[in-house]
Amino acid sequence: LMSLRLVQAATRYRCCHTRRTTTTTRAMSPVVDSHLHVWAGKEETASFPYEPGREPPESLAASTDHLLKTMDLCKVDKAMIVQPINHLYDHRYVSAALRSHLQRLRGMLLANPTATPEEAVLELKRLVSDEGFSGVRFNPYLWPVNEEGLGTMNDEVGRALFDACGTLSLPVGFMFFQGILHRLGGEPAPTHADDAVALMESFPDTKVIFDHFGFTNKFESPEAWRRLLQICDAFPQVYVKVSAPFRVSKNGYPYDDIFAQQLNELLRVVGAERLMIGSDFPFVQEQEGGYASHISRELLAKVNGITESDVNAIMGGTADKLFFKV
């Protein structure tokens, strides 16, 4: 059942669908890629080995040097590196990138739900204080399941981590690859959306980010899309990455279904000050248009009525404030 807060948000959404929040982002905001990954190149794996069984495709170049050259070529000023699954809980490669390029790069560590609550929080604090990470990824598919095969992020370790993130001003990024209505192990496990709402209601100081449009296509799953908008409206601490449209769109580049439709609704409900563009490098390199076409003002221009101030916020103003000015 939806909480009272979500019911109220659903009512506001139906009655005030055209509500729009203005942004005060300056015209000269930097361009910030809010979502990408790096991992060791083949020549670096002796020092930074991959997690066994999680080796990346050989066709994808994803070293720090390659990323920075790509950013320079495409005039991207800053970026948030999300810890890749290829290195799992070994954060040393991303840590090295942060130490060498702190003015341009920030890092989102990968929460370890297999540790005890005390161990998980202790490692989180170490990575923040010693290694320079400034965000935390919750990947629900790493959470353990019970004897019935059911799982939830709203367990003892998840709650301890989420609470610590609020205390340390670390935004939590939710990676709901199977969609926000997916249940770990099926019913009666809670949906990913249920988990997110329960955690936010318990720990409202923790900021939350839904990756990649919440992995939701409004035309394929209108129920999931409505739920995402309701959550965004009910909880002002929620941000959305308008990133990796190739993971959501059914039309392909230039993603008219996503940018002309879904982003339009997100602007009305959320406002540009809680939206961030992202590439999902290096995977974007395999898509039509490549990196440059996915960190692009032209994609945003498809939104009817979008303002220059909105574009500046989504292209970097929001991410710069959230990740770099804390």
Side-chain angles (χ1 to χ4, degrees):
L1 294 176
M2 290 195 300
S3 68
L4 176 60
R5 196 172 186 176
L6 280 177
V7 172
Q8 292 170 337
T11 303
R12 289 199 301 274
Y13 173 64
R14 287 193 298 269
C15 297
C16 307
H17 190 56
T18 59
R19 178 174 65 82
R20 184 74 173 273
T21 304
T22 59
T23 176
T24 56
T25 304
R26 296 177 303 168
M28 299 303 292
S29 295
V31 176
V32 182
D33 187 341
S34 72
H35 192 105
L36 50 76
H37 310 276
V38 295
W39 55 70
K42 187 176 296 186
E43 70 283 357
E44 300 172 298
T45 54
S47 299
F48 303 102
Y50 305 129
E51 178 71 11
R54 297 186 183 272
E55 296 80 6
E58 292 186 5
S59 61
L60 282 177
S63 69
T64 303
D65 287 344
H66 182 59
L67 167 66
L68 291 169
K69 289 176 183 177
T70 303
M71 289 172 61
D72 289 342
L73 183 65
C74 300
K75 297 181 172 55
V76 174
D77 300 303
K78 304 176 183 180
M80 167 56 84
I81 301 174
V82 180
Q83 171 71 6
I85 198 68
N86 315 94
H87 292 296
L88 199 58
Y89 305 121
D90 181 354
H91 290 78
R92 291 178 300 134
Y93 188 75
V94 175
S95 295
L98 301 183
R99 285 194 298 270
S100 299
H101 306 281
L102 190 59
Q103 296 301 311
R104 297 189 72 183
L105 302 176
R106 291 292 187 269
M108 180 168 280
L109 65 92
L110 181 61
N112 182 359
T114 66
T116 66
E118 295 77 18
E119 291 170 342
V121 171
L122 188 64
E123 175 64 359
L124 180 152
K125 291 180 176 179
R126 185 193 71 79
L127 288 167
V128 172
S129 62
D130 297 350
E131 307 296 338
F133 285 84
S134 54
V136 180
R137 168 170 258 199
F138 273 37
N139 179 343
Y141 314 107
L142 297 175
W143 250 257
V145 295
N146 62 20
E147 295 80 4
E148 289 77 37
L150 306 176
T152 174
M153 294 184 297
N154 188 33
D155 61 2
E156 189 177 5
V157 66
R159 291 175 65 82
L161 284 165
F162 200 83
D163 185 18
C165 288
T167 301
L168 297 172
S169 299
L170 303 172
V172 169
F174 285 128
M175 198 281 282
F176 294 155
F177 193 77
Q178 299 296 326
I180 67 171
L181 299 184
H182 182 76
R183 303 172 189 267
L184 289 178
E187 294 191 57
T191 67
H192 294 334
D194 293 336
D195 275 348
V197 167
L199 289 167
M200 287 190 288
E201 288 183 332
S202 296
F203 308 104
D205 290 338
T206 305
K207 293 180 179 178
V208 161
I209 304 166
F210 285 101
D211 291 347
H212 309 334
F213 294 89
F215 285 94
T216 301
N217 182 295
K218 66 170 290 186
F219 304 101
E220 184 178 60
S221 182
E223 179 186 359
W225 181 247
R226 285 193 298 271
R227 186 77 191 277
L228 176 65
L229 293 179
Q230 290 163 5
I231 292 171
C232 291
D233 192 30
F235 295 94
Q237 66 267 46
V238 171
Y239 294 72
V240 179
K241 290 181 180 178
V242 293
S243 52
F246 54 89
R247 297 196 181 279
V248 182
S249 174
K250 301 305 175 184
N251 292 358
Y253 184 83
Y255 315 113
D256 290 339
D257 55 334
I258 300 301
F259 285 98
Q261 300 286 330
Q262 294 193 187
L263 181 53
N264 187 290
E265 292 191 30
L266 282 170
L267 272 170
R268 290 171 178 165
V269 174
V270 181
E273 72 279 2
R274 290 195 279 147
L275 300 175
M276 304 174 280
I277 202 164
S279 69
D280 204 16
F281 174 96
F283 303 102
V284 70
Q285 297 176 114
E286 298 183 320
Q287 306 302 315
E288 182 180 350
Y291 185 85
S293 295
H294 287 74
I295 303 293
S296 165
R297 289 176 173 264
E298 285 69 29
L299 285 176
L300 304 182
K302 297 177 180 299
V303 179
N304 183 40
I306 195 169
T307 68
E308 184 68 14
S309 184
D310 291 338
V311 172
N312 287 331
I314 298 170
M315 286 294 297
T318 300
D320 192 43
K321 183 178 180 180
L322 184 62
F323 299 136
F324 287 85
K325 296 181 178 180
V326 294

